[in-house]
C-alpha cells in the first residue's frame, strides 16, 4: 500500500488491450480513462490529490498482464489498477492484486472475478447472469421456450453460454443447440444451417462481444430464417448495427442505458451521467460514438475516485471499506456495492433494447 | 570488341582477380586456361556483370559496361554459358530454351524456327522437350545450357567449361559447334579444362594463375610453350604429376 | 439429411472455399516469381478492402474499388522496391522473414490510420437481406460475386503464367534467378511486378469479400493463414489447384459442423489437411519432381 | 564371389526406360568403369545402387547380402560411399566439416553422448578431426580446410567431395565423374589417387567421360546405352568394340 | 573447451545483473528477466531444429502450450469432488496428489506439480515423436504449413476445451516446489531464487545444446541442412536425426511452458497462438539462424522489453521494424561476429596464394 502521509499524487495503473484482438474493448476504455484523468486533475484532483494514470497496453495477453500487474504494484506502487479488458487477463492477475493488497477494478464481465469475492477485487460490467435473466424474462413474455445458443469464442461468450444453459430450466426454457464461433469468423452460414435444421428452434441467442456477431445475424436472414434473435449486452456498439444493416432490424438485447441516453426521461437518475459522458466523449474524440466498453472504464474510474473522496485519502483498506458501502450512479446502472457483492449491479441496470431504423431504441 | 583493363574483382574481402587486362577482337575464339581456383569463372561472371568489379574497366564495343547490369549486357549481345549449368530446373526444356531467346523478343523472330535450329544441333533436347530441365542427365543439361545461350543470338558468347561431363563424341561436336559459331561471325570466349582442344581451335589464349594473367599470345605459341605444356597439356604428366602431392 | 439442407451446407462450403481460394491466388503469384510465400498477402487483402471503403465515401463503388486496387498495387510495388529490390541475392528465408515484418508493420500502420473499427463495403447487388435461391438453398448474391471474380482471376492467371512470355519469365526467376539474369531477364523488375500484381489481386479479393467478412485492420493474418493453407494443400504455384483445395477445405468445414462442435472445426479441418499432406507431401496437385528440385 | 552384384535392375521415368535390365558385378579390389553417352543412365544406376532412388525391379547384393531395400544411410553404413555428379556439398560448413561428416559411418557417438559430452565422444571427435585433416591432405587441399566449402572453385569442390567420400572408409566407392571440370594435369592426379585408393583395398565403381582416365586405370568397363548394357569387357577390348566406338568413343579416340 | 568460455561469461553476467539490481534496489527487473528466460529456453530449442537442422517449425508455441496447459490443468483442477472414486484415491495413496487450501479457504485436491510437470513434458515429447515422423518428411513451405497447422490445432483445442478454460485460459496455478526450498513461484519474496532457477535452467539448456551442435550429431544436423541427399549418402540417418532434434526442442518448449506457467500462475490460449510461433521463428532469424547465442540474447532482449511494456502500444510495430532492419542490413543476425571466421579464412589463404 502506498505511503499516504505525503501523497499529493495518486497513481492509478491501467492494464488495457489497446492493441491485439481485444483492441475494440481496450481503445474506448483507454480513451475514457485519459479523458477522465484530465478532467479530474483539471478540477484539482481527488481529495486534493492529482491522479497519475499509467496505462499499460497488454495486447490482451495474460502473460503480459501478469508482468504489468507486478510492475505497477511493485515499481510504480500504484494505488489501484483498472482493467484488464478481458476476463482471462483479469483472472490471471486477480490473485496477484489480492495478495499484494492492491485494488483491482476490472472492466471484464466474468462472474468469477467477483465470485468468490476477493477483498481487493471489483468489477464494473453487469453480471452475465443478469443479462441472461433479462433475455429469458423477455422470452417468457413472448412465449418462446426452445432456443439455440451461439456464443463468440471469448471469455465473454464462454460465460454467457454457461449461464444461458444453467439458467434456462428456471425459466422453463430448453436450449436445443449450442455452438461457439471463432471471434475472427468470416462467415457463419454453416452454423446457421445447423440451427435451422432443427425445426423446433423458436429463437436464437447470439452471445458475443466481437464484430462477428453481426455476421451471424446477417447469415440468418440471408438463409431466409426469421426467428427472433436475441443478443447480449456485449452488442453495445452502434458500429455493429451499421455493419449488420437491415439484418439487425428488430433484434433484442439487454443493455445498460448508455446507448439510449437520449430517450431516457429527464427524471431518470442516470440521465445526467450518461448524457455528460456521451457529450464529453464525443466532443473529445471526433464524434466517435460511445460504447458500453468505455462506460465500464468510466464506472471503474469514478468508483475509485468516489471511494478516495469519501475517505479523504488513498488508504487502501479504508477505500475498500468505502466502496463496499457505496451506492454509485454510473453508466452501467446504479451500483450498490457491499462486502459480499463486488459487482453491485442489479437487474434494473438493464433495459431491453432493439434496433429500429439503424438506431438503438427501447424495445418496450 | 571486348577490352578489359586492370580489372579487379572478388568476393567480399577476398580479391580473386588482380589487375587483369585482355582484349577480344570480333570473330576471334579466345581461350582462357588455368588451374582450379585460378579465377576463370570469376572473370567470366565479372564480364557478364554478375559480380561487380572493384577496379578497372570493361568495355564492350567501346561502351564501358563496368556498372551495367547483367540483363543489359546480355541484351547488348554478350551471353554466358555458366559453369554448373544453372538450369531453370523446374521448367521444361522447351521453356528453358524459349527463355534463352528472351532478348530476341522484339526482333519478331519465328520461335519455332529458332527452336528447331537448336534441336538440329542437339537432337536429344528435342526428345526431352517437355521434361523438367532439373531431371535431365548431366550431359543433357550441359547441352541445354549451350542451347539456351545460343537462343539469344549472342555476338560474343562466353563458355565456362562447355565440355564438362560430355561424352567424347559430343565433346567433338561441341568444338565443331564453336568453330561453326566463329565461322558464322560470332566471337567466342572459351574457358576450358581441355586445354589442348581449346588451344587447337582458338586464335589466341590467356593463361590465368591465381588471379593474374601470366602468359598470353597466339594459340600455337601457347601450345608450344614449355610451361604451358607442362602445366596444362599433359606433357610429362605421367612422371611429374605422379610425384606431386601423392606421396 | 433432406436435400434442401444438404445444398444449404454445400453452398456454405462453397462460400468458404472461394473466400479462401481468392486469398490463396495472391500467394501463388509471388511464389511463382520468387519462390517465397509472402506473409504480407493478407495485409494486401485488408488494404484493398480498407481503401475501397474509405474511397467509397467520395466515389461510386466501382470507381472506389478500381482506385483501391491501383493504390494497393502501388503500395505493393513500393514495398518491394524499398525492402527487397536492392538486396543482392536475398535468400528465400530472408525474404520470407522480411514479409513477416512487413505484415506486422502494415497492420500497425493500418491500426493507426483507420483505428480498430470494423468497416464494410455495401453489397454490390442488393443488401444484407437479399438472397438468391439455388436448388432450394439460399445464398447472398455477394457470394456469387466472389465466385465469379475468383474464377475470372484464376483463369486469367493460369493463362498468363502458362502462355504469356511475361508469365514464363516470372516463373524463370523463381526457378533460377541467376540463370534468369543470364538470359537477359530483368529479374528485379519481375519481382516488383509480381508484388504489384499480387497486391492488386489481394485488393480485388479484399473488396469483393468485404461485404461478407467485413474489413478491419487485423483481418489479414486470419485470411492469410487460410489462404496459405489452401495454396499449400493444392500445391504451390497452381491457382486452379488452390480453388479445388479451397473448396475441399470449405466443404469439410461446412459439413463437419453436423458432427463436431464448431469450436473444434478448425482443429478437425486442419488435421484432415495434415493427413492429406502426409500422403501427398507436395499438395494435391503439386508435382513431386518439381518440388524435389526446389531449394525451399 | 563379387563384392557388388547387380541383377536385372530397372528404372523407368514415365515413358523413359532409363535403366533397362542391367546386370553386372564388381569384384573385390578392382576398378570398374561405367561409360556411355549422355543420358545413358549411368547416374541413375548409381542412384539405384546407393538407393537415392527406388528401382522398379531388380536386386542388388553387396558382400553377398541384399541391399536393394535398405535406406540410403544404411547403404553408407554398410560401406558404400559415393560422390555426386552435380556436386552436393553441405553449404554453410567448412571444407573440413564436410569431410568430418564423411566420418559419420565409422564413428559411434550418438545423440545423448553428444548432448552430455561424454568422454568417449570427445576422444572420438578428436580422432574424426585428425582423420578429416588426413584426407584433405591426401587430396592436397588441407590449406582450404577452414573455407566454406560451397564458395570454393569448382575443382576444389570436387576434391572436397572426394575427400568426404573417402573419409567414410568405404569398401566400395562410387565416383560419378570425378574428373569433370579438371584439367589434364589434375585429371592425372585423380587417376593416381584412384589407383592409390584401390591399393588400400577399396573397390571402385566409376563413371567418367574422360577416356584417358578410364582406359588408364580401370580393370573392367561396362558400357550403357539408352539404359541397356551393350558391352562389358577389359579396356583394350572396349576400345576396339565397333558399337562402342560408333555410339560413344568416336573414330579417332586416343 | 573454448565453446564453454561464453557460458562462463554468461553465468557471470547473470550473477552480476542480480547483484546490480540488488544494490540499486531495482530487483523488480528480475521479474521480467525471469519471464524472458523461459521464452528464451523455447527459442534456443527452436534455434537448434531450425537454424542447425534447417527444419522450420511454425508450431513451437503449441509445444509450449502443451507444457503449460497440462501442468496448469492438472495442478488447478480440484479433484476433491472425486476424492473417493477409484482412480483418484489410488493416486492419492500413491502420493501423487496434494491437498491445499486456496485463497478463499476451500480445500483443493490436485495433482502434484512434479507429476504434472512430468506428464506435461512426456505428452509434448510423445506428440513430437508421433507428429515428427510424417511432418519432418515434408520440406520447405510444406513443412512450414504442417507445423503451423499443428500450432493451430493446439490453439483451437485450448480455446474449445472447458478443461483448459477455453478463451479465459487457466489461472490460480500453484507454485511448484522443485526441491525443498526451491520453488517456482511468482511471489515477490521468491523473486531472486526464481531468477536463478530460470537462468540456471537456461544455462543448462544452453550447455546441452552447445554440446549437441559441436558433436558428431550436431555436424550431421548441419549436414542434412546443407544437403539431405548427400548427408544420407554419408550414412546419416537423417529422419532420425531430425526427429530427435525436433523432440528435444519440443521438450525445451514444453519445459519452458511448465515453468513459466507456474511462475505466472496462469496461462492463456494466446500462448499457443500462431503469432507467437511466428515471433519465435523471427527471433531465431534475427539472432542469425544457426546461432544459439544470437537466439538467446535477442530472445531475452526482445522479450524483456516486450514484457516490460517498453514500447507501449507499439510493441508489435517495433518488433516488425527490428525484424525488417536486421534482415535488410544484417541478414546473418545482429550478433554473428565474423571476426573468428575472418581470422581463420585469412590465415590459410595466405599460405595458399604464397
Ligand atoms: N562465392 C564465392 N565466395 C567466396 N570465394 C569464392 C566464391 N567463388 C569462388 N571463390 C574463390 O575464388 C577463387 C577463384 O574461383 P573461380 O571459381 O573463379 O576459379 P576457376 O578458375 O573457375 O576454377 P575451376 O577451374 O575449378 O572452375 C577460388 O579460390 C575460390 O575459392
Ligand atoms: N527424375 C527424372 N525424371 C525423368 N527423367 C529422368 C529423371 N532422371 C533422369 N532422367 C532421364 O534419364 C536418363 C538417364 O539419366 P542419367 O542422369 O542416368 O544419365 P547419365 O548416363 O548419367 O548421363 P550423363 O553422362 O550426361 O550424366 C536421361 O535421359 C534423363 O533425362
Ligand atoms: Mg570455374
Ligand atoms: Mg550422369
Amino acid at each position: 500500500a502506498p505511503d499516504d502521509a505525503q501523497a499529493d499524487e495518486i497513481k492509478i495503473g491501467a492494464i488495457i488491450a489497446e492493441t491485439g484482438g481485444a483492441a475494440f474493448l481496450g481503445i474506448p476504455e483507454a480513451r475514457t480513462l485519459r479523458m477522465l484523468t484530465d478532467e479530474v486533475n483539471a478540477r484539482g484532483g481527488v481529495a486534493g490529490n492529482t491522479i497519475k494514470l499509467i496505462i499499460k497496453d497488454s495486447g490482451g495477453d495474460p502473460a503480459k498482464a501478469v508482468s504489468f500487474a507486478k510492475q505497477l504494484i511493485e515499481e510504480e506502487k500504484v494505488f489501484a489498477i483498472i482493467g484488464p479488458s478481458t476476463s482471462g487477463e483479469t483472472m490471471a492477475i486477480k490473485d496477484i492484486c489480492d495478495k499484494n493488497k492492491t485494488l483491482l477494478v476490472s472492466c471484464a464481465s466474468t462472474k468469477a472475478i467477483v465470485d468468490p469475492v476477493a477483498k481487493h477485487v471489483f468489477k464494473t460490467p453487469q453480471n452475465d447472469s443478469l443479462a441472461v435473466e433479462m433475455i429469458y424474462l423477455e422470452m417468457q413474455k413472448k412465449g418462446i421456450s426452445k432456443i439455440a445458443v451461439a456464443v463468440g469464442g471469448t471469455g465473454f461468450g464462454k460465460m454467457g453460454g454457461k449461464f444461458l444453459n444453467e439458467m434456462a430450466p428456471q425459466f422453463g426454457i430448453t436450449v436445443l443447440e449450442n455452438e461457439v464461433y471463432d471471434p475472427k469468423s468470416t462467415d457463419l452460414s454453416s452454423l446457421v444451417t445447423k440451427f435451422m435444421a432443427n425445426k423446433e428452434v423458436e429463437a436464437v441467442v447470439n452471445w458475443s462481444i466481437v464484430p462477428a456477431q453481426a455476421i451471424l445475424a446477417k447469415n440468418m436472414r440471408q438463409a431466409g430464417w426469421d426467428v427472433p434473435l436475441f443478443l447480449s449486452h456485449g452488442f453495445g456498439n452502434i458500429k455493429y448495427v451499421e455493419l449488420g444493416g437491415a439484418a439487425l432490424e428488430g433484434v433484442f438485447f439487454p443493455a445498460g442505458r448508455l446507448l439510449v441516453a437520449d430517450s431516457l426521461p429527464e427524471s431518470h437518475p442516470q440521465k445526467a451521467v450518461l448524457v455528460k459522458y456521451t457529450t464529453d466523449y464525443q466532443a473529445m474524440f471526433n464524434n466517435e460514438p460511445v460504447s458500453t466498453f468505455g462506460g465500464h472504464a468510466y464506472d471503474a474510474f469514478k468508483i475509485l475516485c468516489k471511494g478516495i473522496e469519501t475517505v479523504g485519502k488513498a488508504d487502501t483498506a479504508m477505500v475498500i471499506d468505502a466502496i463496499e458501502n457505496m451506492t454509485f450512479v454510473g453508466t452501467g446502472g446504479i451500483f450498490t456495492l457491499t462486502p459480499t457483492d463486488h459487482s453491485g449491479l442489479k437487474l434494473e441496470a438493464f433495459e431491453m433494447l432493439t434496433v429500429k431504423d439503424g438506431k438503438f431504441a427501447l424495445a418496450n | 570488341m571486348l577490352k578489359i583493363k586492370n580489372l579487379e574483382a572478388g568476393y567480399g574481402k577476398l580479391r580473386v582477380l588482380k589487375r587483369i587486362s585482355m582484349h577480344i577482337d570480333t570473330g576471334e575464339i579466345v581461350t582462357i586456361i588455368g588451374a582450379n581456383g585460378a579465377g576463370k569463372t570469376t572473370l567470366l561472371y565479372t564480364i557478364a556483370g554478375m559480380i561487380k568489379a572493384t577496379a578497372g574497366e570493361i568495355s564492350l564495343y567501346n561502351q564501358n559496361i563496368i556498372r551495367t547490369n547483367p540483363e543489359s549486357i546480355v541484351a547488348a549481345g554478350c551471353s554466358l554459358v555458366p559453369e554448373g549449368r544453372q538450369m531453370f530446373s523446374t521448367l521444361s526444356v522447351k521453356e528453358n530454351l524459349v527463355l534463352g531467346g528472351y532478348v530476341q523478343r522484339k526482333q519478331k523472330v519465328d520461335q519455332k524456327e529458332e527452336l528447331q535450329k537448336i534441336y538440329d544441333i542437339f537432337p536429344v533436347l528435342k526428345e526431352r522437350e517437355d521434361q523438367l530441365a532439373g531431371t535431365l542427365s548431366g550431359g543433357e543439361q550441359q547441352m541445354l545450357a549451350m542451347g539456351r545461350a545460343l537462343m539469344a543470338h549472342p555476338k560474343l558468347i562466353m563458355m565456362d567449361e562447355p565440355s564438362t561431363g560430355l561424352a567424347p563424341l559430343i565433346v567433338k561436336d561441341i568444338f565443331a559447334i564453336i568453330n561453326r559459331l566463329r565461322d558464322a561471325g560470332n566471337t567466342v570466349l572459351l574457358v576450358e579444362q581441355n586445354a589442348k582442344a581449346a588451344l587447337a581451335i582458338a586464335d589466341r589464349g590467356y593463361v590465368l594463375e591465381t588471379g593474374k594473367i601470366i602468359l598470353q599470345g597466339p594459340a600455337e605459341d601457347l601450345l608450344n610453350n614449355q610451361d604451358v605444356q607442362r602445366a596444362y597439356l599433359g606433357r610429362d604428366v605421367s612422371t611429374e604429376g605422379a610425384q606431386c602431392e601423392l606421396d | 439429411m433432406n436435400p434442401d439442407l444438404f445444398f444449404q451446407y454445400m453452398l456454405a462450403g462453397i462460400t468458404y472455399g472461394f473466400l479462401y481460394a481468392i486469398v490463396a491466388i495472391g500467394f501463388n503469384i509471388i511464389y511463382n516469381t520468387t519462390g517465397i510465400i509472402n506473409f504480407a498477402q493478407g495485409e494486401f487483402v485488408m488494404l484493398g478492402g480498407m481503401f475501397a471503403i474509405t474511397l467509397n465515401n467520395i466515389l461510386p463503388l466501382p470507381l472506389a474499388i478500381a482506385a483501391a486496387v491501383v493504390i494497393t498495387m502501388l503500395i505493393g510495388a513500393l514495398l518491394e522496391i524499398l525492402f527487397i529490390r536492392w538486396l543482392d541475392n536475398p535468400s528465400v528465408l530472408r525474404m520470407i522473414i522480411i514479409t513477416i515484418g512487413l505484415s506486422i508493420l502494415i497492420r500497425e500502420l493500418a491500426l493507426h490510420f483507420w483505428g480498430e473499427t470494423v468497416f464494410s463495403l455495401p453489397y454490390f447487388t442488393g443488401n444484407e437481406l437479399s438472397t438468391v435461391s439455388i436448388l432450394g438453398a439460399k445464398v447472398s448474391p455477394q457470394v456469387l460475386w466472389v465466385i465469379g471474380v475468383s474464377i475470372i482471376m484464376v483463369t486469367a492467371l493460369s493463362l498468363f503464367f502458362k502462355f504469356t512470355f511475361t508469365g514464363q519469365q516470372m516463373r524463370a526467376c523463381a526457378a533460377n534467378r541467376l540463370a534468369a539474369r543470364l538470359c537477359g531477364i530483368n529479374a528485379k523488375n519481375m519481382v516488383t511486378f509480381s508484388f504489384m500484381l499480387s497486391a492488386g489481386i489481394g485488393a480485388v479479393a479484399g473488396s469483393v469479400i468485404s461485404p461478407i467478412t467485413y474489413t478491419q485492420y487485423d483481418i489479414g493474418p486470419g485470411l492469410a493463414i487460410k489462404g496459405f493453407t489452401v495454396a499449400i494443400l493444392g500445391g504451390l504455384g497452381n491457382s486452379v489447384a488452390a480453388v479445388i483445395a479451397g473448396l475441399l477445405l470449405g466443404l469439410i468445414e461446412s459439413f463437419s459442423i453436423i458432427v463436431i462442435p464448431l469450436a473444434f472445426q478448425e482443429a478437425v479441418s486442419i488435421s484432415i489437411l495434415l493427413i492429406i499432406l502426409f500422403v501427398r507431401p507436395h499438395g494435391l496437385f503439386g508435382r513431386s519432381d518439381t518440388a524435389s528440385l526446389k531449394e525451399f | 564371389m563379387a563384392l557388388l552384384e547387380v541383377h536385372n535392375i530397372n528404372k523407368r521415368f514415365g515413358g523413359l526406360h532409363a535403366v533397362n535390365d542391367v546386370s553386372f558385378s564388381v569384384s573385390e579390389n578392382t576398378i570398374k568403369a561405367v561409360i556411355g553417352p549422355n543420358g545413358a543412365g549411368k547416374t541413375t544406376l548409381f542412384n539405384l545402387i546407393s538407393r537415392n532412388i527406388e528401382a522398379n525391379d531388380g536386386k542388388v547384393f553387396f558382400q553377398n547380402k541384399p541391399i536393394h531395400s535398405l535406406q540410403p544411410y544404411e547403404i553408407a553404413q554398410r560401406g558404400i560411399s559415393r560422390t555426386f555428379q552435380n556436386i552436393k556439398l553441405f553449404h554453410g560448413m567448412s571444407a573440413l566439416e564436410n569431410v568430418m561428416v564423411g566420418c559419420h559411418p565409422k564413428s559411434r557417438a550418438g545423440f545423448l553422448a553428444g548432448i552430455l559430452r561424454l568422454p568417449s565422444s570427445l576422444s572420438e571427435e578428436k580422432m574424426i578431426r585428425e582423420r578429416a585433416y588426413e584426407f584433405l591432405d591426401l587430396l592436397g587441399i588441407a590449406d582450404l580446410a577452414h573455407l566454406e566449402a560451397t564458395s570454393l572453385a569448382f575443382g576444389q569442390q570436387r576434391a572436397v567431395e572426394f575427400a568426404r567420400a573417402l573419409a567414410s572408409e568405404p569398401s566400395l566407392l562410387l565416383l560419378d565423374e570425378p574428373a569433370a571440370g579438371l584439367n589434364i594435369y589434375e585429371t592425372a592426379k585423380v587417376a593416381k589417387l584412384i589407383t592409390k585408393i584401390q591399393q588400400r583395398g577399396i573397390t571402385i565403381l566409376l563413371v567418367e567421360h574422360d577416356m584417358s582416365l578410364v582406359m588408364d586405370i580401370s580393370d573392367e568397363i561396362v558400357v550403357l546405352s539408352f539404359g541397356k548394357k551393350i558391352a562389358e569387357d577389359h579396356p583394350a577390348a572396349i576400345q576396339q568394340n565397333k558399337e562402342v566406338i560408333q555410339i560413344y568413343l568416336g573414330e579417332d579416340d586416343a | 573447451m573454448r565453446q564453454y568460455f561464453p557460458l562462463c561469461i554468461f553465468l557471470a553476467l547473470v550473477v552480476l545483473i542480480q547483484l546490480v539490481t540488488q544494490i540499486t534496489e531495482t530487483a523488480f527487473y528480475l521479474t521480467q528477466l525471469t519471464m524472458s528466460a523461459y521464452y528464451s529456453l523455447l527459442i534456443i530449442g527452436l534455434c537448434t531444429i531450425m537454424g542447425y537442422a534447417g527444419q522450420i517449425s511454425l508450431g513451437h508455441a503449441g509445444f509450449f502450450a502443451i507444457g503449460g496447459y497440462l501442468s496448469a490443468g492438472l495442478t488447478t483442477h480440484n479433484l476433491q469432488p472425486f476424492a473417493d472414486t477409484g482412480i483418484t484415491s489410488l493416486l492419492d495413496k500413491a502420493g501423487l496428489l496434494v491437498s491445499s487450501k486456496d485463497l478463499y479457504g476451500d480445500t483443493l485436491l490436485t495433482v502434484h506439480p512434479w507429476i504434472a510437470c512430468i506428464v506435461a513434458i512426456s505428452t509434448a515429447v510423445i506428440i513430437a515423436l508421433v507428429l515428427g515422423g510424417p511432418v519432418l518428411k515434408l520440406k520447405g513451405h510444406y513443412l512450414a504449413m504442417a507445423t503451423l497447422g499443428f500450432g493451430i490445432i493446439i490453439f483451437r483445442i485450448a480455446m474449445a476445451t472447458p478443461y483448459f478454460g477455453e478463451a479465459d485460459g487457466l489461472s490460480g496455478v500453484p507454485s511448484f516446489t522443485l526441491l525443498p526450498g526451491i520453488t517456482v513461484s511468482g511471489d515477490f519474496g521468491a523473486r531472486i531464487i526464481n531468477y536463478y532457477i530460470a537462468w540456471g535452467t537456461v544455462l543448462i539448456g544452453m550447455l546441452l545444446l552447445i554440446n549437441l551442435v559441436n558433436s558428431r550429431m550436431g555436424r550431421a544436423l548441419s549436414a542434412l541442412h546443407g544437403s539431405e541427399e548427400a548427408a544420407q549418402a554419408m550414412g546419416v540417418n537423417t529422419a532420425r536425426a531430425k526427429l530427435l532434434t525436433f523432440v528435444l526442442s519440443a521438450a525445451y518448449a514444453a519445459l519452458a511452458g511448465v515453468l513459466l506457467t507456474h511462475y505466472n500462475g496462469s496461462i492463456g490460449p494466446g500462448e499457443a497462438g500462431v503469432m507467437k510461433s511466428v515471433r519465435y521463428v523471427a527471433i531465431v532469424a534475427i539472432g542469425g539462424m544457426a546461432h544459439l547465442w544470437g537466439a538467446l540474447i535477442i530472445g531475452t532482449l526482445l522479450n524483456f522489453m516486450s514484457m516490460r511494456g517498453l514500447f507501449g502500444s507499439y510493441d508489435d510495430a517495433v518488433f516488425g521494424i527490428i525484424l525488417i532492419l536486421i534482415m535488410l542490413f544484417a541478414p546473418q543476425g545482429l550478433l554473428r561476429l565474423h571476426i573468428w571466421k575472418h581470422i581463420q579464412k585469412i590465415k590459410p589463404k595466405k599460405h595458399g596464394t604464397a
Side-chain angles (χ1 to χ4, degrees), chain B residues 128 131 135 137-140, chain D residues 13 38-44 85 209:
Chain B
R128 304 255 167 275
Q131 192 173 322
T135 64
S137 87
E140 290 163 351
Chain D
F13 295 111
N38 295 117
K42 306 179 292 295
T43 300
T44 307
Q85 182 175 7
H209 288 298

Side-chain angles (χ1 to χ4, degrees), chain D residues 52 72-73 76-77 80-82 84 88-91 93 97 100-102 104-105 107-111 114-117 124-125 128 143 146-147 164-165, chain E residues 1 3-4 207-208 211-212 214-217 219-220 222-223 225-227 229-238 241 244-245 248 344-345 348-349 352:
Chain D
N52 279 81
Y73 72 89
Q77 287 168 355
I80 301 182
S81 196
R82 69 169 295 181
F84 294 88
K88 289 196 167 117
L89 289 173
F90 306 126
H91 60 75
M93 297 173 85
E97 284 168 326
M100 286 170 80
V101 175
H104 203 87
S107 47
R108 288 281 80 81
F111 205 80
I115 288 184
L116 300 176
R117 211 172 153 82
E124 187 182 85
E125 200 54 11
I128 290 176
D143 54 342
H146 294 285
L147 296 183
R164 185 179 69 185
Chain E
M1 278 297 125
Q3 60 262 39
Y4 290 150
L207 174 77
L208 298 182
N211 285 346
L212 175 67
N214 287 309
S215 73
R216 169 175 175 268
M217 267 306 186
R219 201 165 41 243
S222 310
H225 185 186
S227 162
E229 207 181 340
Q232 284 182 336
M234 292 303 119
V236 178
N237 185 343
T238 52
L244 287 177
T245 315
L248 182 72
Q344 284 167 339
K345 251 184 200 171
K349 196 68 220 165

Side-chain angles (χ1 to χ4, degrees), chain A residues 79-119:
Chain A
F79 172 69
I81 295 174
I82 294 177
S85 319
T86 67
S87 6
E89 293 170 271
T90 308
M91 293 308 291
I93 68 168
K94 179 182 175 187
D95 286 359
I96 296 175
C97 290
D98 201 39
K99 268 191 207 162
N100 295 292
K101 304 204 176 355
T102 304
L103 262 161
L104 174 68
V105 189
S106 171
C107 298
S109 69
T110 299
K111 202 175 172 190
I113 297 170
V114 292
D115 179 22
V117 169
K119 191 72 187 163

Side-chain angles (χ1 to χ4, degrees), chain B residues 132-145:
Chain B
L132 294 184
T135 64
L136 291 179
S137 87
E140 290 163 351
Q141 289 189 0
Q142 187 62 51
M143 297 180 219
L144 180 55

Side-chain angles (χ1 to χ4, degrees), chain D residues 222-225 228-232 241 243-244 247:
Chain D
V222 174
V223 186
L224 294 187
S225 174
K228 286 207 186 91
K229 182 171 101 176
I230 57 166
E232 183 172 10
N241 186 317
E243 196 182 356
V244 178
I247 61 159

Side-chain angles (χ1 to χ4, degrees), chain A residues 120-322:
Chain A
H120 295 81
V121 181
F122 297 82
K123 76 167 178 117
T124 53
Q126 302 93 338
N127 271 337
D128 322 85
S129 51
L130 296 176
V132 171
E133 199 176 332
M134 271 306 271
I135 289 178
Y136 281 167
L137 288 172
E138 185 76 21
M139 284 184 175
Q140 274 183 332
K141 254 193 273 172
K142 293 194 157 61
I144 295 168
S145 65
K146 297 198 168 93
I147 61 168
V149 170
V151 307
T154 61
F156 182 83
K158 165 189 157 184
M159 274 299 150
K162 180 167 166 248
F163 285 116
L164 282 165
N165 281 284
E166 277 177 14
M167 292 165 62
Q170 297 164 29
F171 295 85
I173 288 171
T174 329
V175 179
L176 296 175
E177 301 279 347
N178 265 302
E179 286 293 349
V180 183
Y181 57 83
D182 179 20
K184 291 265 160 232
S185 291
T186 46
D187 188 89
L188 291 166
S189 26
S190 67
L191 171 65
V192 168
T193 311
K194 180 170 183 217
F195 282 1
M196 257 171 85
N198 192 332
K199 298 281 179 233
E200 287 178 51
V201 173
E202 295 164 346
V204 173
V205 184
N206 175 6
W207 198 278
S208 169
I209 202 164
V210 291
Q213 60 185 309
I215 293 180
L216 180 66
K218 222 173 51 177
N219 289 155
M220 275 175 69
R221 301 313 182 212
Q222 283 166 351
W225 199 33
D226 48 12
V227 294
L229 173 61
F230 290 82
L231 304 174
S232 73
H233 53 308
F235 185 63
N237 192 334
I238 195 74
K239 286 274 165 54
Y240 299 168
V241 177
E242 288 166 14
L243 284 176
L248 281 169
E249 288 290 308
V251 296
F252 296 99
F253 68 104
R257 296 182 181 83
L258 180 59
L259 303 176
V260 286
D262 292 343
S263 17
L264 289 179
E266 287 306 321
S267 60
H268 195 282
Q270 278 183 277
K271 174 106 184 180
V273 172
L274 296 177
V275 171
K276 179 165 183 343
Y277 173 55
T278 312
T279 18
D280 287 356
Y281 189 91
Q282 294 192 338
M284 188 117 175
F285 301 111
N286 223 339
N287 268 334
E288 188 75 16
V290 288
S291 68
T292 49
F293 316 131
H296 299 325
Y298 177 93
D299 295 343
F301 188 86
K302 287 289 185 178
I303 286 176
L304 275 174
C305 289
K306 191 168 175 194
I308 299 170
E309 242 149 30
T310 317
V311 181
K313 60 177 180 179
D315 178 286
T316 307
M318 291 167 74
V319 170
I320 290 177
D321 216 42

Side-chain angles (χ1 to χ4, degrees), chain B residues 45 50 70-71 74 80 82 86-91 95 98-100 102-103 105 132 134 148, chain C residues 162 165 168-169 171-172 175-176 178-187 287 289-290 293-294:
Chain B
Y45 271 137
M50 302 293 297
E71 297 85 35
V74 179
L80 172 65
Q86 306 291 354
M87 299 291 93
F88 298 119
S89 37
T90 50
L91 268 50
E95 284 169 322
V98 169
L99 285 162
Y102 170 74
V103 291
R105 67 196 178 284
L132 294 184
R148 196 178 59 191
Chain C
K162 196 77 200 158
F165 208 38
Q168 266 178 14
Q169 283 169 50
R171 288 200 295 143
N176 188 335
L178 184 140
R181 303 187 73 190
L182 288 177
C183 285
I185 296 169
N186 191 326
R287 288 173 63 173
D289 51 353
T290 316
L293 296 168
K294 288 249 158 69

